[in-house]
Amino acid sequence: MMSFSLWDIVRNLLIGGALTLLLSLVAFVLGGATGLLVLLARIGKWRAPRALAQMHIELFQGTPLLLQLFTLFFGLSLFGLDVPAWLAAGLGLTLFTSAFLAEIWRGCVEAVPRGQWEASSCLAMTYWEQMRHVILPQAMRLSIAPTVGFAVQVVKGTAVTSIIGFAELTKTGSMIANATYQPFLVYSLVALGYFILCYPLSHYAQSLERKLHAAR
Amino acid sequence: MRRCRGICDPEAPLTTPGLPLSGEETTDRLLHRQPPPPDKGGLGGLNYCTDTFVAIHPDPTMSYQFDFTFVPDYAGMLAQGVAYTVGLTVVGGTLGIGIGIAGAISRLWNVRPFGELYRYYVELFRNTPFLVQLFLIFFGLPSLGIKLEAWQAAILAMVLNLGAYSTEIIRAGLQATPRGQLEAADSLAFTRWQIFLHVMLRPALRKVWPALSSQVVITMLGSSVCSQISTEELTFVANFIQSRNFRAFETYFLTTGMYFALALLIRQAMHFIGRYLIVRRPSR
Amino acid sequence: MPLVSTNRLHKFFGKNHVLRGIKLDVEEGEVVTIVGRSGSGKSTLLRTLNGLESIDDGIIEVDGAKLEVDCADAASLRALRLKVGMVFQQFNLFPHLSAGQNVMLAPQVVKGTAKNETEDIARRMLERVGLAEKFDAFPDQLSGGQQQRVAIARALAMSPKVLLCDEITSALDPELVNEVLGVVRQLASEGMTLIMVTHEMRFAREVSDKLVFMHEGKIHESGDPQAMFARPETPEFASFIGSLN
Ligand SMILES: Nc1ncnc2c1ncn2[C@@H]1O[C@H](COP(=O)(O)OP(=O)(O)OP(=O)(O)O)[C@@H](O)[C@H]1O
Ligand SMILES: [Mg+2]
């Protein structure tokens, strides 16, 4: 049995924390990109993509992230793919994030006043011209605060990937807790780590929200 | 370290973070677990090798055949899992919203010292993952002399988590009470309590009920990670079944579907509760 | 051949029969004012003229661009909208764009005009409504009257054949009404074809060539404004005038 100093614990947790941060960033960026595609399908004029996008959103919002990861993991291995934990984690969180962001952004698109649609229609713009030049720029402004707010959920969501074996902060914490028999200390440090990542984001989202409300 | 064995057989523990991870063992044991011999005779003619994780890769030259024939055998168990999850959600939801109401009041009127305490509580619980909260309660608290059963830890974590979110949600609703309504109520000589109940709380709950409902659904979905401390809810049952039938994909796929249905059901139930308990409008 | 003509125009909102067979002809350069009680279908009529509301029966033709019930596809809608400009009660400027950009956007995007050319157009149009110096101002930095004038400039930049104005001064503070009416008056004198809905009766009498009184989804009475006000032919119009003051 090795003995762990507090520094050993913290050092290992920092490595796990770095992976948590990395996974969050990857999921957020890829999820954002995918979410944009889902959004465009969801608000587009073609029926089939719209239905698909809605299904995607409802499925990923209506089921537990853990089971999404399990299903994905085992589903992919049915195709003979050997899925490493980090890949399943990244892919799963990306899909999860894309569904939520698409829905958040759709709300923002719908919050753009009807008059903006009418005014741009009268100028003979096509649907996509209206979207591109009139609606999306305004929706984007509305979406910043909730998007930053959702980033907090992504960071917290990464904890679930510990269960499929991705050695991020929570997984590292579990391993150390079991090795040191100091679960209270270790899990408190783990919680602190998440708090340090999440609190600034929450705070920033709230201040953005306030600013947006003041501007109206 | 493993404190609760649950219905799982002892040789195939779930991913309790109970065992020190040695060396390279980064992929979770759940996925590496050796499957017990299938208890249904070789239906579907699949040839897995049965001892490693790679085992569940079918022969790429053969097309995989989905096999849901295990369902009837485990139907009772699945039903128990569903009941457990629903139970957790009902208790967690009720107490969580209760805490939320108390918290919103304390925060709004700055009831000492609760207002300040609630502020820290809300920030702490909203900015850390539920799973970590659960571990801290289940694995951490015993070092402080507080030992909880898995189900107790699960409920406590759910209540505290939902309580933090609903505090903020309900507070927003209470803050939106129009001044004029308070003044009108004052002039009608209501007692303070009556004013609060009828002029503030009920309209506030009505306003934020959809947000609150979503949060309850999120909490229910999040409860699937309680399987990690061997709470015998739906995901735990799924883990158990797939460890027996060696049909991981089908099992999880089915369970995911069950959660989806549960989410719809709970949303519907919340809608119903909101309609008849809070709004009390004559039904149209 | 009138510039704008509609025939047998019908519109339902659910069971509500809002337009009941409108026949309206507007000659080039004519200024037509539509009046009537609230809910008589004035806005709906204007909005059908550029396809903001679909029609349930009838035909609309503006300078050769035709819109019929059964062939209201995207192409014919676009053709119609290129001929018809519209100004709204609520301005509906694009808040994320400056006044100049508001005016430039459509020519650039819809007509594919080069940027420096659209900038020329925008400056000329803003000058026309007396806001040359506000090119870089954003809508929230402008007064209501100024915003409405930018909205007019934005519509004019597409060089429409006819301009629709739906109560364009109703959302304005009283002291700002005249600067907008001034612009409209000037447009009328320059020969712009205008179809407007307004509650400014004095203004309507002064600039209109033709007054249209709508009642329960029909054109109940129409003609020369001076004559109509002097000798209303129908009791409904008489009572409408009576209710004005
Ligand atoms: N989008 C809509 N959906 C349903 N009904 C509508 C809609 N728009 C208008 N209506 C109905 O159509 C009728 C005519 O409305 P319209 O706005 O054309 O009247 P208006 O003459 O412009 O009145 P106002 O002077 O108040 O502007 C009204 O009964 C109105 O309720
Ligand atoms: Mg109107």
Side-chain angles (χ1 to χ4, degrees):
Chain A
M1 171 92 218
M2 293 198 294
S3 70
F4 281 78
S5 69
L6 184 62
W7 169 238
D8 287 328
I9 296 177
V10 171
R11 201 188 50 199
N12 279 300
L13 288 182
L14 281 177
I15 297 171
L19 282 178
T20 288
L21 188 60
L22 185 68
L23 179 60
S24 308
L25 279 175
V26 168
F28 193 71
V29 171
L30 295 184
T34 318
L36 194 61
L37 295 181
V38 177
L39 170 75
L40 292 179
R42 180 68 186 79
I43 60 182
K45 286 200 150 167
W46 299 302
R47 189 167 300 176
R50 213 166 53 203
L52 272 177
Q54 185 166 2
M55 228 162 66
H56 173 86
I57 290 170
E58 280 181 15
L59 264 179
F60 282 88
Q61 287 199 333
T63 57
L65 176 58
L66 177 58
L67 280 150
Q68 292 164 21
L69 293 175
F70 280 162
T71 311
L72 193 73
F73 198 115
F74 291 106
L76 283 179
S77 41
L78 291 187
F79 294 104
L81 298 174
D82 199 352
V83 200
W86 62 266
L87 184 60
L91 201 58
L93 267 177
T94 295
L95 292 174
F96 172 83
T97 306
S98 69
F100 277 83
L101 285 181
E103 187 65 5
I104 290 172
W105 293 342
R106 187 178 72 95
C108 296
V109 167
E110 279 177 4
V112 175
R114 224 173 57 132
Q116 296 292 311
W117 284 103
E118 295 190 342
S120 43
S121 293
C122 289
L123 294 167
M125 291 189 194
T126 64
Y127 182 78
W128 289 112
E129 287 166 353
Q130 294 177 292
M131 268 295 168
R132 157 94 176 68
H133 297 284
V134 177
I135 306 301
L136 286 184
Q138 294 181 57
M140 207 119 80
R141 208 175 76 87
L142 295 174
S143 70
I144 297 172
T147 303
V148 173
F150 184 71
V152 176
Q153 306 301 327
V154 176
V155 175
K156 293 195 297 179
T158 60
V160 176
T161 66
S162 67
I163 299 172
I164 59 164
F166 182 62
E168 41 63 83
L169 185 52
T170 306
K171 182 77 192 171
T172 312
S174 297
M175 284 157 24
I176 298 175
N178 292 322
T180 60
Y181 296 105
Q182 287 186 291
F184 188 76
L185 172 71
V186 175
Y187 284 125
S188 298
L189 288 173
V190 170
L192 180 68
Y194 282 106
F195 190 81
I196 290 171
L197 290 177
C198 292
Y199 183 71
L201 286 172
S202 300
H203 196 75
Y204 183 49
Q206 271 167 19
S207 74
L208 283 172
E209 188 81 44
R210 264 195 300 269
K211 236 183 270 168
L212 198 64
H213 273 292
R216 290 222 203 140
Chain B
M1 198 61 211
R2 209 174 63 239
R3 299 171 58 242
C4 178
R5 282 203 288 122
I7 53 175
C8 206
D9 74 45
E11 289 324 302
L14 292 167
T15 55
T16 326
L19 302 161
L21 241 134
S22 58
E24 298 291 283
E25 196 184 340
T26 46
T27 306
D28 198 272
R29 295 162 41 79
L30 172 68
L31 309 174
H32 273 296
R33 192 168 357 119
Q34 301 197 353
D39 43 10
K40 298 193 94 51
L43 268 170
L46 283 161
N47 51 349
Y48 302 113
C49 35
T50 48
D51 48 9
T52 63
F53 177 48
V54 223
I56 67 163
H57 296 168
D59 182 341
T61 58
M62 299 185 66
S63 66
Y64 185 80
Q65 292 184 8
F66 293 102
D67 179 2
F68 284 96
T69 47
F70 65 88
V71 176
D73 292 344
Y74 292 103
M77 210 179 265
L78 285 168
Q80 272 179 13
V82 167
Y84 210 119
T85 292
V86 169
L88 286 178
T89 308
V90 169
V91 178
T94 313
L95 296 180
I97 290 176
I99 286 198
I101 293 173
I105 296 171
S106 320
R107 287 279 279 124
L108 204 60
W109 283 305
N110 222 345
V111 182
R112 263 175 233 260
F114 301 109
E116 197 67 0
L117 281 178
Y118 255 110
R119 208 163 70 87
Y120 293 123
Y121 154 69
V122 166
E123 293 298 353
L124 267 177
F125 274 78
R126 292 207 313 170
N127 288 298
T128 51
F130 176 68
L131 183 60
V132 174
Q133 293 159 15
L134 187 70
F135 283 173
L136 198 52
I137 289 171
F138 187 65
F139 297 117
L141 286 189
S143 3
L144 304 185
I146 306 170
K147 285 203 162 73
L148 296 174
E149 295 288 326
W151 65 270
Q152 294 169 328
I155 284 189
L156 184 60
M158 285 173 76
V159 167
L160 289 176
N161 190 280
L162 179 60
Y165 279 97
S166 51
T167 296
E168 282 308 281
I169 292 172
I170 296 170
R171 190 169 72 107
L174 284 176
Q175 268 173 339
T177 308
R179 279 205 84 73
Q181 297 212 357
L182 286 183
E183 283 159 12
D186 265 337
S187 68
L188 290 172
F190 279 111
T191 66
R192 270 194 76 159
W193 176 243
Q194 284 172 324
I195 291 179
F196 174 73
L197 200 64
H198 297 291
V199 182
M200 295 196 70
L201 187 59
R202 201 181 271 183
L205 280 181
R206 186 185 308 168
K207 209 172 305 161
V208 301
W209 200 252
L212 223 42
S213 306
S214 297
Q215 199 59 47
V216 170
V217 170
I218 289 173
T219 306
M220 185 279 285
L221 296 175
S223 76
S224 76
V225 303
C226 295
S227 57
Q228 297 305 298
I229 59 167
S230 307
T231 311
E232 295 164 28
E233 44 69 74
L234 185 52
T235 306
F236 181 93
V237 171
N239 289 342
F240 175 76
I241 294 176
Q242 73 88 26
S243 76
R244 284 299 175 85
N245 71 356
F246 204 42
R247 286 281 175 180
F249 178 74
E250 285 91 331
T251 308
Y252 286 126
F253 187 79
L254 176 75
T255 315
T256 307
M258 292 170 74
Y259 271 106
F260 190 75
L262 268 183
L264 291 179
L265 206 78
I266 286 176
R267 197 172 282 286
Q268 213 45 49
M270 286 296 285
H271 182 73
F272 186 82
I273 294 169
R275 184 113 166 249
Y276 290 94
L277 284 185
I278 298 178
V279 179
R280 278 224 194 112
R281 287 225 192 89
S283 51
R284 266 177 280 167
Chain C
M1 180 76 191
L3 182 71
V4 178
S5 80
T6 75
N7 209 349
R8 290 182 290 102
L9 212 56
H10 284 269
K11 171 73 186 172
F12 290 84
F13 284 116
K15 285 194 178 132
N16 190 358
H17 198 169
V18 179
L19 297 183
R20 301 165 179 244
I22 302 282
K23 174 168 170 47
L24 177 69
D25 290 329
V26 180
E27 299 294 333
E28 183 152 12
E30 209 174 15
V31 176
V32 175
T33 299
I34 303 172
V35 298
R37 291 189 197 285
S38 181
S40 56
K42 308 181 293 291
S43 298
T44 308
L45 173 58
L46 277 198
R47 291 161 60 84
T48 55
L49 289 182
N50 64 357
L52 275 187
E53 302 288 358
S54 62
I55 51 178
D56 296 307
D57 194 11
I59 180 169
I60 297 169
E61 191 169 350
V62 179
D63 192 29
K66 246 188 237 178
L67 199 67
E68 279 171 280
V69 195
D70 31 357
C71 62
D73 53 296
S76 47
L77 257 183
R78 183 183 139 92
L80 180 72
R81 284 171 175 167
L82 283 171
K83 311 264 182 190
V84 183
M86 183 159 189
V87 184
F88 299 84
Q89 183 175 346
Q90 299 297 340
F91 328 142
N92 293 340
L93 288 185
F94 306 133
H96 61 297
L97 300 178
S98 69
Q101 290 167 328
N102 260 279
V103 183
M104 287 161 67
L105 182 65
Q108 216 167 307
V109 170
V110 177
K111 291 189 171 169
T113 314
K115 184 152 186 271
N116 50 3
E117 207 171 315
T118 56
E119 192 171 327
D120 276 356
I121 298 176
R123 289 197 188 281
R124 258 188 292 126
M125 292 307 146
L126 284 177
E127 198 178 319
R128 210 164 152 191
V129 298
L131 290 174
E133 77 286 7
K134 295 292 185 189
F135 190 89
D136 291 314
F138 279 83
D140 59 3
Q141 299 166 324
L142 298 173
S143 75
Q146 290 171 331
Q147 287 189 52
Q148 194 59 295
R149 283 146 69 198
V150 174
I152 295 173
R154 179 175 68 178
L156 292 177
M158 293 291 282
S159 17
K161 285 287 181 182
V162 51
L163 192 63
L164 312 176
C165 303
D166 190 1
E167 302 195 30
I168 61 171
T169 56
S170 293
L172 296 176
D173 293 337
E175 71 270 21
L176 301 177
V177 167
N178 278 328
E179 66 184 61
V180 173
L181 292 186
V183 170
V184 177
R185 186 178 288 119
Q186 180 203 325
L187 287 179
S189 71
E190 288 167 5
M192 183 80 206
T193 312
L194 290 168
I195 305 177
M196 56 187 182
V197 174
T198 183
H199 292 305
E200 304 283 339
M201 283 310 151
R202 211 140 53 95
F203 177 75
R205 282 170 74 165
E206 177 197 326
V207 301
S208 313
D209 301 310
K210 181 160 137 191
L211 190 69
V212 170
F213 172 66
M214 279 190 69
H215 183 68
E216 294 181 345
K218 288 198 180 106
I219 295 184
H220 205 70
E221 187 174 338
S222 73
D224 173 65
Q226 311 297 341
M228 276 176 71
F229 273 98
R231 292 174 302 279
E233 283 174 7
T234 60
E236 287 81 10
F237 184 53
S239 103
F240 174 75
I241 301 175
S243 68
L244 288 177
N245 23 46

